[in-house]
Each structure stands twice: as C-alpha cells, then as structure tokens.
Coordinates of all heavy atoms in Angstrom, one line a residue:
P1 N -9.7 -17.1 -30.3 CA -8.6 -16.5 -29.7 C -8.3 -15.1 -30.3 O -7.6 -14.3 -29.6 CB -7.4 -17.4 -30.0 CG -8.1 -18.7 -30.3 CD -9.4 -18.4 -31.0
W2 N -8.7 -14.8 -31.5 CA -8.3 -13.6 -32.2 C -9.5 -12.6 -32.4 O -9.5 -11.8 -33.4 CB -7.6 -13.9 -33.5 CG -6.4 -14.7 -33.3 CD1 -5.1 -14.3 -32.8 CD2 -6.2 -16.1 -33.5 NE1 -4.3 -15.4 -32.8 CE2 -4.9 -16.5 -33.2 CE3 -7.1 -17.1 -34.0 CZ2 -4.4 -17.8 -33.3 CZ3 -6.6 -18.4 -34.1 CH2 -5.3 -18.8 -33.7
K3 N -10.5 -12.7 -31.6 CA -11.7 -11.9 -31.8 C -11.2 -10.4 -31.6 O -10.4 -10.1 -30.7 CB -12.8 -12.2 -30.8 CG -12.5 -12.2 -29.4 CD -13.7 -12.7 -28.6 CE -13.4 -12.8 -27.1 NZ -14.5 -13.3 -26.3
G4 N -11.8 -9.5 -32.4 CA -11.5 -8.1 -32.3 C -10.3 -7.7 -33.2 O -10.0 -6.5 -33.4
Y5 N -9.6 -8.7 -33.8 CA -8.5 -8.4 -34.7 C -9.0 -7.8 -36.0 O -10.2 -8.0 -36.4 CB -7.7 -9.7 -35.1 CG -6.7 -10.1 -34.1 CD1 -6.9 -10.2 -32.7 CD2 -5.4 -10.4 -34.5 CE1 -5.9 -10.6 -31.8 CE2 -4.4 -10.8 -33.6 CZ -4.7 -10.9 -32.3 OH -3.7 -11.3 -31.4
A6 N -8.2 -7.1 -36.7 CA -8.5 -6.6 -38.0 C -8.3 -7.7 -39.0 O -7.5 -8.6 -38.8 CB -7.6 -5.4 -38.4
E7 N -9.1 -7.7 -40.0 CA -9.1 -8.8 -41.0 C -7.7 -8.8 -41.7 O -7.2 -7.7 -42.1 CB -10.1 -8.6 -42.1 CG -10.2 -9.7 -43.1 CD -11.2 -9.6 -44.2 OE1 -11.5 -8.4 -44.5 OE2 -11.8 -10.6 -44.6
G8 N -7.1 -9.9 -41.8 CA -5.8 -10.0 -42.4 C -5.2 -11.4 -42.2 O -5.8 -12.2 -41.5
P9 N -4.1 -11.8 -42.9 CA -3.6 -13.2 -42.8 C -3.2 -13.5 -41.4 O -2.5 -12.8 -40.7 CB -2.4 -13.1 -43.8 CG -2.6 -12.0 -44.7 CD -3.4 -11.0 -43.9
N10 N -3.6 -14.7 -41.0 CA -3.2 -15.3 -39.7 C -2.0 -16.2 -39.9 O -2.1 -17.2 -40.5 CB -4.4 -16.1 -39.1 CG -4.0 -16.6 -37.7 OD1 -2.9 -16.7 -37.3 ND2 -5.1 -16.9 -36.9
P11 N -0.8 -15.8 -39.5 CA 0.4 -16.5 -39.8 C 0.4 -17.9 -39.2 O 1.2 -18.8 -39.6 CB 1.5 -15.6 -39.3 CG 0.9 -14.8 -38.3 CD -0.5 -14.6 -38.7
I12 N -0.4 -18.1 -38.1 CA -0.4 -19.4 -37.4 C -1.3 -20.4 -38.1 O -0.8 -21.6 -38.3 CB -0.9 -19.2 -36.0 CG1 0.0 -18.2 -35.2 CG2 -1.0 -20.5 -35.2 CD1 -0.5 -17.8 -33.8
T13 N -2.4 -20.0 -38.6 CA -3.3 -20.9 -39.2 C -3.3 -20.9 -40.8 O -3.7 -21.9 -41.4 CB -4.8 -20.6 -38.8 OG1 -5.2 -19.4 -39.3 CG2 -4.9 -20.6 -37.3
G14 N -2.8 -19.9 -41.3 CA -2.8 -19.7 -42.8 C -4.1 -19.3 -43.3 O -4.3 -19.1 -44.6
A15 N -5.1 -19.0 -42.5 CA -6.4 -18.5 -42.9 C -6.4 -17.0 -42.6 O -5.3 -16.4 -42.4 CB -7.6 -19.2 -42.2
Y16 N -7.6 -16.3 -42.6 CA -7.7 -14.9 -42.3 C -8.3 -14.7 -41.0 O -9.4 -15.3 -40.7 CB -8.4 -14.2 -43.4 CG -7.6 -13.8 -44.6 CD1 -6.9 -14.7 -45.4 CD2 -7.4 -12.4 -44.9 CE1 -6.1 -14.3 -46.4 CE2 -6.6 -12.0 -45.9 CZ -6.0 -12.9 -46.7 OH -5.2 -12.5 -47.7
Y17 N -7.7 -13.8 -40.2 CA -8.4 -13.4 -38.9 C -9.8 -13.0 -39.1 O -10.2 -12.4 -40.2 CB -7.7 -12.2 -38.3 CG -6.2 -12.4 -37.8 CD1 -5.2 -11.6 -38.2 CD2 -6.0 -13.4 -36.9 CE1 -3.9 -11.8 -37.8 CE2 -4.7 -13.6 -36.4 CZ -3.6 -12.8 -36.8 OH -2.4 -13.0 -36.4
V18 N -10.7 -13.3 -38.1 CA -12.1 -13.0 -38.0 C -12.9 -13.3 -39.3 O -13.8 -12.7 -39.6 CB -12.3 -11.5 -37.7 CG1 -11.7 -11.2 -36.3 CG2 -11.6 -10.5 -38.7
N19 N -12.5 -14.4 -39.9 CA -13.2 -15.0 -41.0 C -13.7 -16.4 -40.6 O -13.3 -17.0 -39.7 CB -12.4 -15.1 -42.3 CG -12.4 -13.8 -43.1 OD1 -13.1 -13.8 -44.1 ND2 -11.7 -12.8 -42.7
C20 N -14.7 -16.9 -41.4 CA -15.3 -18.1 -41.1 C -14.3 -19.3 -41.1 O -14.5 -20.2 -40.3 CB -16.5 -18.4 -42.1 SG -15.9 -18.6 -43.9
T21 N -13.4 -19.3 -42.0 CA -12.4 -20.4 -42.1 C -11.5 -20.4 -40.9 O -11.2 -21.5 -40.3 CB -11.6 -20.3 -43.4 OG1 -11.0 -18.9 -43.5 CG2 -12.4 -20.5 -44.6
D22 N -11.1 -19.3 -40.4 CA -10.2 -19.3 -39.2 C -10.9 -19.7 -38.0 O -10.4 -20.5 -37.2 CB -9.6 -17.8 -39.0 CG -8.2 -17.9 -38.4 OD1 -7.4 -18.7 -38.8 OD2 -8.0 -17.0 -37.5
F23 N -12.2 -19.3 -37.8 CA -13.0 -19.7 -36.7 C -13.2 -21.2 -36.7 O -13.1 -21.9 -35.7 CB -14.3 -19.0 -36.6 CG -15.2 -19.5 -35.5 CD1 -15.0 -19.2 -34.2 CD2 -16.3 -20.2 -35.9 CE1 -15.9 -19.7 -33.2 CE2 -17.2 -20.7 -34.9 CZ -17.0 -20.4 -33.6
S24 N -13.6 -21.8 -37.9 CA -13.8 -23.2 -38.0 C -12.6 -24.0 -37.8 O -12.6 -25.1 -37.2 CB -14.4 -23.5 -39.4 OG -15.7 -22.8 -39.5
L25 N -11.4 -23.5 -38.2 CA -10.2 -24.2 -37.9 C -9.9 -24.3 -36.4 O -9.4 -25.3 -35.8 CB -9.0 -23.5 -38.6 CG -8.6 -23.9 -40.0 CD1 -7.6 -23.0 -40.6 CD2 -8.0 -25.3 -39.9
W26 N -10.3 -23.2 -35.7 CA -10.2 -23.2 -34.2 C -11.0 -24.3 -33.6 O -10.6 -25.0 -32.7 CB -10.5 -21.8 -33.7 CG -10.7 -21.7 -32.2 CD1 -11.9 -21.2 -31.6 CD2 -9.8 -22.0 -31.2 NE1 -11.7 -21.3 -30.2 CE2 -10.4 -21.7 -29.9 CE3 -8.5 -22.4 -31.2 CZ2 -9.8 -21.9 -28.7 CZ3 -7.8 -22.6 -29.9 CH2 -8.5 -22.3 -28.7
R27 N -12.3 -24.4 -34.0 CA -13.2 -25.4 -33.5 C -12.6 -26.8 -33.9 O -12.7 -27.7 -33.1 CB -14.6 -25.2 -34.1 CG -15.4 -24.1 -33.4 CD -15.8 -24.6 -32.0 NE -16.7 -23.6 -31.4 CZ -16.3 -22.7 -30.5 NH1 -15.1 -22.7 -30.1 NH2 -17.2 -21.8 -30.0
L28 N -12.1 -27.0 -35.1 CA -11.6 -28.3 -35.5 C -10.4 -28.6 -34.5 O -10.3 -29.8 -34.0 CB -11.1 -28.2 -36.9 CG -10.2 -29.3 -37.4 CD1 -10.9 -30.7 -37.3 CD2 -9.7 -29.1 -38.9

C-alpha cells in the first residue's frame, strides 16, 4: 500500500515504509 513512499516510520504498522519488515507485515 505504501510503495513509492520515502523511507521513514510507518505510524500504522510501527515498522518503516518501503522496508522488508513493513512489506512482510502487509503480507501477514
């Protein structure tokens, strides 16, 4: 959902935008 965002804290997930952890949380 946040592709193209600048890297930084994602307040919804608690991970970082466009990082491996945020993407994997999305899949989970």
